[in-house]
Amino acid sequence: MTKQHAFRLTTTWHPATDHEPLAYSLILTNLSNEPIGDFRLCVNGPGRIDPAATVEGGVLAVRLSNHSEFTPADDFVLQPKASWTITARGLSYPLRHWTDGATTAYIALADGKTVPVAITPTRAVGDNAPLKRGAEIYPVPAHVDVPVSVVPWPHTVSVSGSRSLPLGLAPQPQGSEAERAVQAFATSVQALFPVEGIVRTEAEGGLPVVLRISEGFKAEAYAIQFSDGGVDLTASTRSGLLYGLITLGQILRGARLHPETFVFPLEGEIRDEPAMRWRGTHLDVSRQFYGSAEISQFLHILAWNKLNRFHWHLSDDEAWRVEIDAYPELVSIGAWRGHGLPIPPLLGSGPQATGGYYTKAAIREIIRLADELAIDVVPEIDMPGHCYSVLQSLPWLRDPEERGEYFSIQGFPNNCLNPAREETYQFVETILDELLELFPSQTFHVGADEVPSDAWTGSPQAKARLAQLGSDSAAVLQADFLKRVQASLTRRGRTTGAWEEAAHGGGIDKTHCYLNGWHTVEISAKLANEGYDIVVCPGPVYYLDMANSPDWSEPGAGWAGWSEPEKLYNFDPVEGWSAPQREHFLGVQTCIWSEPMTDRAVFDRLVFPRISALAETGWTRPEAKSWNRFKGLAGLMPILYGYRSESV
């Protein structure tokens, strides 16, 4: 059988009714002129077939997380132009959106070869609405209640008049820090708006902008003075100057693209400073890989939104993404997925080897760019859980006497580093040696989320260590692990970042850590009350993989709910917090988990404009926020891939 044979897979979601249980049907059609037998149908996508599911029409022969392989009955032959139907009545969670369904399919033959299968998006019974992709771009109205276009909105805007629109800005830096700010701004506008000529000389019509360092401003604050002679920009730091230039660039673009709505001021002042010190986003590059060019462009977009933290999720069950000299297997094995490989196709990857990793040279270049853009890159290596790719790459890390299986919530077996083994700490210390040399951030994130409650129950070494600790809880064993890892980071002068589960089982040293509160604001408030510094990023609001609405036609996930841009914009991350609790509030960040992001048009729809809504929460004083104003300005903000709203 060769690849010239054509097959098509259609999938349908049947929600449960009063009379029928839920059903997920897969129909494989042989479009070729030849029969096919002795094969497996392999599918994957965010939705996970439950291993205990009732499967009609076939057998669930293999299941690892969201990768499933079905076999027909013995001696079954799929004849030309005929179809084979499989119905699964049981999933790890009900499908809620079209991207939950299978996104890749292929046929595996008995001789080891694979045959591609065309696949269409999963449809829901009774829902024929066009499926949505691409960012929804809010149109800029003819009238907005502000004269200039700036997102996030500044602290104070006192401008008047309208000068003839300059063709661009001609920065005149005074001093080395001002020169660096100008260079970073020029690099960003060239990357984001390459033909607009936002930075240009006076000879080409650029408006003089004098930049200088001046004492008296907070770290990221700045002031802009508009006058007949040009513009003066002052700040106490390079980041303040950069943010001032970004504000000017946004004002210029607004007035140029929508002269009926916005002006470039003739006189007056803008004084600005952020409401929160931590304004960030997290990007999971394990579930889907993003090349260095994508990461760099994304950093430019973060800076344009005045976001100052990039939480880089570099490892998870599905892949390891960073070069480690001491353990080359981490990338030769752990960075790739494919049929017959130690990690199978997952989340839209097909039978061919798919993936990638960041070399140390690439990371250094990304760190250099982030520093120029005033962005702190916080690396995350998720441990002790979410380590399936690590343990597939370095199986000697497992307890050789461990028996039985436990499963993560995502369906990965035995996916946790064993805290009872000295080999585990040798591994952690070795990767920290290499990673801390690469990443200068004060903060290193160790994950610590979603360790199964029955982890390590089959490990004699783990049982012995728990006996020494006087407990039988996996949370206590994780806490033991985290204390040791945190102590190593503290000795090296670093602060430990972790997800909120790091507080379980006795917790870690509160004076040298911060936690990401990802469940609810109430849980974050409780942790703040216990003395933990908190970055608020609740899944029901700030997880950008969640869909924009509950409609099937929207892409994204739904396990934490849904969050339209207006809901995210108006969300108060510290509602009900006391003054002492607010002392431990660092700020906010969105989290981009990449399960549904195989399609980059889905990325654009889920991330934009919600990331700008978060940016305004982090920067603008609560009393100065306005959804109507934001909606009128957000259409001018850049998107990563350029996909605009459409239907499929």
Side-chain angles (χ1 to χ4, degrees), residues 418-434:
N418 195 321
R421 287 175 57 76
E422 280 304 308
E423 291 87 345
T424 295
Y425 299 99
Q426 293 167 10
F427 166 75
V428 172
E429 290 293 327
T430 301
I431 64 170
L432 287 179
D433 285 343
E434 296 196 30

Side-chain angles (χ1 to χ4, degrees), residues 399-435:
D399 178 352
E401 303 301 319
E402 185 169 8
R403 299 293 181 266
E405 284 187 320
Y406 58 87
F407 287 87
S408 73
I409 191 172
Q410 289 85 13
F412 287 95
N414 298 6
N415 72 329
C416 301
L417 297 177
N418 195 321
R421 287 175 57 76
E422 280 304 308
E423 291 87 345
T424 295
Y425 299 99
Q426 293 167 10
F427 166 75
V428 172
E429 290 293 327
T430 301
I431 64 170
L432 287 179
D433 285 343
E434 296 196 30
L435 291 171

Side-chain angles (χ1 to χ4, degrees), residues 331-365:
V331 293
S332 65
I333 296 173
W336 305 95
R337 305 195 290 253
H339 185 74
L341 298 181
I343 305 174
L346 298 166
L347 298 166
S349 58
Q352 70 283 357
T354 303
Y357 64 93
Y358 306 102
T359 66
K360 289 187 173 182
I363 289 174
R364 290 189 179 99
E365 184 58 27

Side-chain angles (χ1 to χ4, degrees), residues 284-306:
D284 157 30
V285 299
S286 178
R287 275 57 179 257
Q288 308 291 348
F289 182 65
Y290 303 80
S292 295
E294 293 168 283
I295 298 297
S296 296
Q297 188 75 349
F298 191 52
L299 290 176
H300 287 300
I301 291 175
L302 298 188
W304 199 254
N305 282 274
K306 299 187 177 77

